[in-house]
Amino acid sequence: MRAAPGRTHLVPEPYGETPVWAYNDAVPGPEIRVRQGDRMRVVIDNGIDEETTVHWHGVRTPNAMDGVPHLTQVPIAPGESFTYEFDAVDAGTFWYHPHQNSTVQVGRGLYGPLIIEEAAPVRVDRELTWVLDDWRLTQAVAISDDFGNRHDLMHNGRVGNTVTINGRVPESIAVRAGERIRLRLINAANARIFGLDFSGLEPVVIALDGQPVTPHAPADGLVTLGPAMRMDMILDMTDRPGNRTTVVDRFYQGLEYRLVELAYAETALREGAPDWPVELPANPLAEPDLRDAIRHEVTFNGGMMGQMVMAEMGGSMGDGASGGMMGNMMNMMHGQGIWFINGKAATGHVMDPLLTLPRGRTCVLTMTNATAWHHPIHLHGHSFRVLSRNGQPTAHREWQDTVLMAPREKVEIAFVADNPGDWMFHCHILEHQAAGMMGVIRVSGKGERI
Ligand code: C2O
Ligand code: CU
C-alpha cells in the first residue's frame, strides 16, 4: 500500500472533492481480508512528505511489527518503504493507521479496515463494514488545518463537523426485510465518540474490539464506540418492505443527528428473522489467573477542570502513597504536558516504561479516570478482560484492546503479559495522546518472541 496525498468525495455533490492523505488513493484504505492463521505481509510505501509508520490496531503482532516510531521501529522516511509481516492469530475486526504524528495523519484520512475471518464464521445474508470517521471541514470542504490547537488538546479532542461512513457522508443504505446482516463498526475518528440508536431494530453484539463476547443487546440500547473501538453485531432487518429505519447518533446530549437511513426494498427477503446461531468461536487468548496476579494502580488526570476533579476524588484515593502521588501530579500539571498517567506526561520519543511486567504473569490494572472527560484507553500487543467498572463486575468480562472510561470512572482490567516487548498504553483520543496521555508497558523476560 502506498500512503500519499489524494482527493476524495467526502461530501456528495454539489460539493467538490476534499484533499486528503490516503492509502492507495482511497479513504478508508483498502479493506484487508485474511483468514485466521494466515501470514500477512504488507509493504508500505511512504509517499507523503513526512515520516510515517503503520500500526495494526488490536492485532497481537510481535513487537517489531507494531509500528510505533522510535519505540519498535525506525520511522519510514518519505520515499522509503517498510515491510510488515506477522501472523493473523486472532479472528475479528481490526484496523490499521499510522502511529506517527497521528492527529494529522489519521485526521487527514490514513486508516483502513483489517478483517481477519473465522474458519467458520456465523451465518448471515450479508456482511457490511462501516468505518466511521469525523472530519473538521471548512466551507470549501477542505480539512481545517488547525490540528493540535490548544483547545482541542485540553478538552475532548478534535471533534469535527462532518461524519462519514466509509469515507462518504451517507444518505441511505439499501436493505431487505428479513435480511440478516453482520455489521462491523470501526471508529476511526480522532476524538468523536458514537452512541448509535438503531431505532426499532434490536442489534445483538457478538464481538468487541475483534474479540467474541457473549451475544447481548447493547447496554441502554445505545451502541457506544469510543475512538479506535470496534463492534461486530448481528442486525436483523425487522421492519416492513418499503419502510425506512433511521440510525441516530445520540452520544453528545443536545447534538443528536441522523447518521444514515436503512431503506427497505419493496420485496422481503424472508418472513421474520432467521434463527441461525450467532455465537462466535473464541480466539486463542491466555486466560488471566487472578490468584497469581501482579496488581498496579493507574491514574489518568489533567485536562480542563482536571484539578477540580482530582481534588474531588482526592478523598477516595487517600492512602499515603496515592495521596503523595496526587500532590506530585498537582505540581507537574503546571509543566509541559496537559494529560498525565501516574503523574507523567509523555512528551518526547523514547520513554522509560511506566510499568515492567514479567512475561507470562497475569497483570491487573486498576485504572482511575481522575478527569472531567471520557478517555478510550488502549494497550498494544494484548487484549485484556474488563473485570469491573466502579467496583461492579462487568456482565460479560469482555475482551477489549481499548476501553472507554467515563469521567471519574474506575475500571479494572486483567491480561496475561505474554507478548514480550515495549508496548504503548495510551488514550486513543489522538489529541490527548499527543498532549502526554501515553506511556509504555514493558513485558520483559526470556524466551522467543511470538
Ligand atoms: Cu490505534 Cu497506539 O493505537
Ligand atoms: Cu483521552
Side-chain angles (χ1 to χ4, degrees):
M1 298 193 302
R2 180 175 170 79
R7 307 177 69 82
T8 186
H9 242 124
L10 293 178
V11 191
E13 310 277 356
Y15 289 95
E17 290 183 323
T18 299
V20 293
W21 293 355
Y23 292 112
N24 293 3
D25 242 346
V27 178
E31 180 173 285
I32 300 177
R33 250 185 199 262
V34 298
R35 292 271 189 81
Q36 184 171 22
D38 280 353
R39 186 146 184 94
M40 291 182 52
R41 187 182 304 115
V42 186
V43 182
I44 302 292
D45 294 330
N46 183 3
I48 60 171
D49 225 0
E50 58 184 57
E51 294 177 332
T52 194
T53 62
V54 177
H55 170 59
W56 309 91
H57 185 114
V59 183
R60 297 186 293 140
T61 66
N63 197 241
M65 295 293 117
D66 196 43
V68 179
H70 309 287
L71 189 70
T72 71
Q73 71 170 92
V74 176
I76 314 168
E80 302 283 296
S81 64
F82 186 88
T83 303
Y84 293 92
E85 185 171 344
F86 52 88
D87 293 328
V89 289
D90 296 328
T93 303
F94 303 96
W95 67 300
Y96 56 88
H97 63 79
H99 219 286
Q100 170 99 19
N101 193 17
S102 309
T103 51
V104 175
Q105 293 190 14
V106 178
R108 289 196 184 281
L110 288 172
Y111 59 78
L114 165 57
I115 309 299
I116 303 177
E117 296 176 341
E118 301 88 14
V122 290
R123 180 170 174 196
V124 294
D125 294 306
R126 183 156 59 124
E127 245 192 46
L128 289 176
T129 303
W130 286 4
V131 187
L132 302 168
D133 196 5
D134 170 39
W135 309 74
R136 186 177 292 168
L137 300 181
T138 65
Q139 297 284 339
V141 299
I143 295 172
S144 159
D145 60 10
D146 60 342
F147 284 101
N149 70 71
R150 199 167 166 81
H151 186 273
D152 288 348
L153 296 183
M154 295 199 64
H155 294 78
N156 57 348
R158 182 181 172 89
V159 174
N161 52 21
T162 307
V163 170
T164 55
I165 296 179
N166 299 336
R168 191 150 172 104
V169 174
E171 283 151 3
S172 69
I173 290 175
V175 298
R176 295 181 73 185
E179 190 180 19
R180 171 166 289 184
I181 291 176
R182 175 176 183 172
L183 180 59
R184 300 175 183 263
L185 292 170
I186 301 172
N187 183 353
N190 282 33
R192 181 180 289 274
I193 302 167
F194 293 89
L196 304 184
D197 177 352
F198 283 79
S199 27
L201 300 183
E202 290 173 1
V204 175
V205 181
I206 58 168
L208 294 167
D209 291 349
Q211 302 295 345
V213 64
T214 308
H216 64 277
D220 59 37
L222 276 199
V223 171
T224 303
L225 271 193
M229 295 169 67
R230 289 90 62 214
M231 189 182 285
D232 286 40
M233 61 175 74
I234 296 292
L235 259 189
D236 285 322
M237 297 301 152
T238 48
D239 208 344
R240 281 202 294 276
N243 280 3
R244 295 171 88 85
T245 299
T246 305
V247 183
V248 179
D249 180 4
R250 300 191 187 283
F251 187 80
Y252 302 98
Q253 257 180 28
L255 299 172
E256 295 82 359
Y257 64 96
R258 200 177 61 174
L259 175 66
V260 66
E261 293 208 328
L262 306 174
Y264 287 72
E266 293 300 332
T267 54
L269 180 66
R270 68 170 65 79
E271 287 303 312
D275 61 356
W276 307 328
V278 297
E279 195 137 0
L280 290 168
N283 279 318
L285 289 160
E287 187 57 45
D289 176 4
L290 297 182
R291 290 158 315 171
D292 184 37
I294 298 172
R295 290 170 187 270
H296 288 283
E297 301 237 352
V298 177
T299 302
F300 302 98
N301 67 296
M304 204 55 166
M305 301 181 296
Q307 302 220 358
M308 201 181 76
V309 176
M310 276 205 316
E312 271 171 34
M313 292 188 81
S316 62
M317 300 170 58
D319 63 57
S322 60
M325 192 171 74
M326 296 286 279
N328 194 14
M329 286 190 285
M330 290 282 200
N331 294 333
M332 292 186 72
M333 283 176 61
H334 298 294
Q336 231 196 329
I338 294 173
W339 300 96
F340 304 84
I341 305 181
N342 285 354
K344 283 208 186 88
T347 44
H349 281 316
V350 183
M351 287 165 291
D352 294 333
L354 184 74
L355 300 173
T356 298
L357 307 173
R359 183 181 183 189
R361 287 287 293 279
T362 291
C363 173
V364 174
L365 298 182
T366 304
M367 310 194 294
T368 302
N369 176 3
T371 80
W373 306 92
H374 282 84
H375 304 284
I377 301 298
H378 173 45
L379 172 64
H380 286 210
H382 301 78
S383 287
F384 47 77
R385 277 197 188 276
V386 182
L387 301 180
S388 72
R389 290 180 177 271
N390 292 329
Q392 292 298 107
T394 54
H396 308 290
R397 293 167 63 85
E398 53 272 22
W399 289 106
Q400 305 223 237
D401 56 57
T402 308
V403 62
L404 185 62
M405 298 185 72
R408 299 170 175 79
E409 196 175 25
K410 203 181 242 277
V411 174
E412 225 186 353
I413 64 170
F415 60 98
V416 179
D418 56 1
N419 198 356
D422 282 351
W423 301 103
M424 297 291 287
F425 174 67
H426 64 89
C427 178
H428 220 289
I429 290 180
L430 300 177
E431 291 68 32
H432 293 177
Q433 181 191 358
M437 205 168 193
M438 131 179 110
V440 169
I441 292 184
R442 174 170 294 167
V443 176
S444 68
K446 299 186 236 25
E448 298 271 299
R449 303 194 151 211
I450 67 166

